[in-house]
Amino acid sequence: MGKVEKKKLEMQATRDAYGKTLVELGTENHNIVVMDADLSASTRTELFAKKFPERFFNMGIAEANMIGYAAGMALSGKIVFVSTFAIFATLRPFEQIRNAVAAQNLNVKIAATHAGISVGEDGLSHQAIEDVAILRSLPNMHIFIPADSVSAVKIVKEAARINGPVYIRMSRPKTPIIYDETYEFNAGQANILIDAPEARVAMLATGNMVYEAMVCGEKLRSEGIPVIVVDVSSIKPINKELIVSVAKRARLVVTLEEHTIVGGLGGAVCELLSEEYPTKVMRIGINDVFGESGTPSALFQHFGLTAEHIYRKLIKELR
Amino acid sequence: MDEQKRIEFEKELNSLRRDILLMLYEAKSGHPGGSLSAISVISYLFLNVMRFDPANPLWEERDRFILSKGHAAPALYAILARVGYFSPKLLKTLRKLGSPLQGHPDSRKLPGVESSTGSLGQGISIAGGIALAGKMEKKSYNVYTLLGDGEIQEGQVWEALMAASQFKLDNLCIFIDNNGLQIDGPVSMVMNVDPIADKLRSFNLATMEIDGHNPDEIENAFEFFKSNKGKGVPTGIVSHTIKGKCVSFMENKSEWHGVAPSKEEVEKALDELGCIESLEDWLTEGITWER
Ligand SMILES: Cc1ncc(C[n+]2csc(CCOP(=O)(O)OP(=O)(O)O)c2C)c(N)n1
Ligand SMILES: [Mg+2]
């Protein structure tokens, strides 16, 4: 069993792409307003704040109130982007999101950064690993997770176009750029990155796990094991047709996410396939435990989320 | 406070500041500004006021401290190590994988941490609950909590204050670490919370303002709290402090909210504290010096 090689790719954080794209959107559309909760440097909304101070509102450390104000702004015709760390953007004001935003189908775009364990050293209080699960339960909500900074740009633009609430899940570290400028995004999108007519395993990955899945997939392929790797960037709506068709061509379906295995991408795929095309699904993610402090790479090792760990797990499973 | 006590306290305080800086330097991330503004009150509390027993961390009658502004964890860890809850050697593991010294305090991992905190606004409610349980069981312990001035923008804080008055929690002493800064800048510019003392008064707290770096005034605050016991009112102390206190280049700078000092910076800071030699000890063997 050889070592999993990683190609050197250019790196950029999805939140950097978000900050720049917000400025672009703000220039084109004067209806766009932005709110933050005392983390505008980290979320990169400060770029928008500098360019359009009259359309930026720092709401202080008061996230539940921020969601309410965003709902009021949206009821008054604005397109509102609200940003803070994912944990404070979703888990803390969840009921406000449900009753004020989702139930009224409002134009509030919750663009959160620092999702998942790649937050690193701040530890469990700051690591949202349940955000997708809870938001997925809300009618009207869209959930998009960019796999890199190039797709983040397109996703943020699509969020502005959509009429209704959107959750965009971004992360803290710089991550490899896997797409080029020809990438386009629409709600409900999933992209096949590695394909095979008949596969031993189909990996359905989202966010930062897409790159790990690609690296692992290349390795398996180079060893003669046919694989499919899919970037599921739209968790809600989810691409039913594509996922079912991939499941039909693979013996095992694996989901990969920087999120609890309960209720996120793994949950969504299991729900879908159990109704449409019952298939064995292996969920890889945070295994029903909380996160902890450590560097992002130490945590990815610890929770078994690196390409190397996934490779070993799959080899064992496929044997 | 007599001269001797003051000198000893300042000396202790200085070594705790040193430990905070060394810890953060080693961890390469974390929050120096708010740890340095809070350590004066926290250290006085542990060294002179609270009853506790590190050998028996769950002693039922112990006084409790909840660090509501959990990002000042290095300040809490420094004092917990100093009073003997764990070996100072552990300070070197701050924020590393597997360490009980998590980025934000974790009650399941470290003795002396009464409750996990880190999500702002929640610690004061938890402190209120502990105080309420104490009242219910007719325990004599006191509950102390410390919040950031940015933290009090959270609506939950005011819900907690309302409840503290309603339930007559005169065993609860609430400090606001009023350093005037949060992450995005001055609190007054981001989302003004002034006048804090008036707000606390209007929530029916016995309220006092102090210079949170002056040992006499800190002492007075605790005397004030004691004098309110039996009156059925919670105590609120607005503690005027300086973010990054005692490190010239960190003082009053929101930029120093959440970044760790580099080698050069920690050298400069320790030099200012008059304990540059401790860096060498730290680097070679971790904290092993006798207190
Ligand atoms: C609910 C919540 N929202 C946001 C954060 C991120 N955060 C950590 S510290 C901080 C600023 C705190 O300012 P303040 O309370 O004044 O603390 P201090 O100045 O004492 O460091 C923020 C926004 C958090 N920890 N919890
Ligand atoms: Mg402050």
Side-chain angles (χ1 to χ4, degrees), chain A residues 174-207:
Chain A
K174 289 193 168 129
T175 48
I177 297 179
I178 59 180
Y179 288 113
D180 62 29
E181 297 304 325
T182 61
Y183 176 90
E184 291 299 334
F185 178 83
N186 292 296
Q189 184 153 324
N191 284 49
I192 298 183
L193 301 172
I194 299 178
D195 208 355
E198 297 261 306
R200 296 279 300 280
V201 51
M203 290 190 252
L204 308 180
T206 190

Side-chain angles (χ1 to χ4, degrees), chain A residues 36-42 46 56 58-65 88 92 120-126 172 291-295 298-299 302-303, chain B residues 27-31 95-99 101-104 106 109 117-122 150-156 182-185 189-191:
Chain A
D36 204 301
D38 195 33
L39 287 165
S40 67
S42 295
E46 70 175 4
F56 174 80
N58 198 327
M59 302 305 293
I61 311 168
E63 297 81 4
N65 183 53
F88 310 126
R92 191 180 191 99
E121 292 86 344
D122 273 348
L124 94 84
S125 64
H126 283 54
R172 173 182 174 231
E292 58 185 283
S293 292
T295 61
L299 290 169
H302 179 72
F303 288 108
Chain B
K28 298 192 177 68
S29 70
H31 301 86
R95 292 180 155 246
K96 301 215 161 102
L97 185 67
S99 170
L101 279 63
Q102 291 286 298
H104 293 80
D106 189 325
K109 296 202 156 138
T117 50
S119 179
L120 295 171
Q122 300 195 27
E151 178 178 10
I152 65 174
Q153 291 159 348
E154 287 288 357
Q156 178 172 1
Q182 54 191 111
I183 297 180
D184 281 347
M189 304 271 290
V190 174
M191 185 58 71

Side-chain angles (χ1 to χ4, degrees), chain A residues 63 88, chain B residues 69 71 118 120 148-151 154 179 181 243 257:
Chain A
E63 297 81 4
F88 310 126
Chain B
K69 46 169 259 186
H71 59 280
L120 295 171
D149 48 5
E151 178 178 10
E154 287 288 357
N179 59 28
L181 294 176
K243 203 156 174 168
H257 171 83

Side-chain angles (χ1 to χ4, degrees), chain B residues 14-19 21-22 266-281 289:
Chain B
N14 210 50
S15 34
L16 293 164
R17 291 185 183 121
R18 169 200 67 194
D19 296 356
L21 290 162
L22 285 169
V266 80
E267 277 170 357
K268 186 153 185 277
L270 293 174
D271 200 30
E272 289 183 13
L273 294 179
C275 48
I276 182 70
E277 74 293 343
S278 52
L279 183 59
E280 210 41 50
D281 297 354
W289 52 73

